Amino acid sequence: MHKFDLNTYNLTKDLPGGPTLAVVDEEIPEVQMIVDEHGQPTHGGLTGYMLAYILMAAFVGGLFLVL
């Protein structure tokens, strides 16, 4: 994913030729299931995943109903 570099922009925004615009690559961390010390998924993690998928399905279903 690309991200606008605000540090470079803020350092160079007052230059006579204008600011330097830079884009930097940003790594997106991988989403992982929360597990306990034995490697088993926690109840809270499972509940969170279930809630997230229900909300996503409801949103997509709502889009189909509206369109």
Side-chain angles (χ1 to χ4, degrees):
M1 176 175 206
H2 301 293
K3 179 180 167 187
F4 183 66
D5 187 9
L6 289 175
N7 291 334
T8 303
Y9 174 78
N10 287 329
L11 290 173
T12 61
K13 67 182 176 182
D14 296 324
L15 292 177
T20 300
L21 303 176
V23 177
V24 294
D25 287 331
E26 180 179 65
E27 290 187 27
I28 299 174
E30 186 177 321
V31 177
Q32 297 178 351
M33 175 68 77
I34 299 173
V35 296
D36 61 10
E37 60 273 359
H38 303 293
Q40 300 295 325
T42 61
H43 293 294
L46 291 173
T47 304
Y49 265 81
M50 188 173 13
L51 181 61
Y53 280 112
I54 289 170
L55 290 172
M56 182 179 62
F59 177 76
V60 172
L63 285 178
F64 280 113
L65 290 175
V66 171
L67 299 176

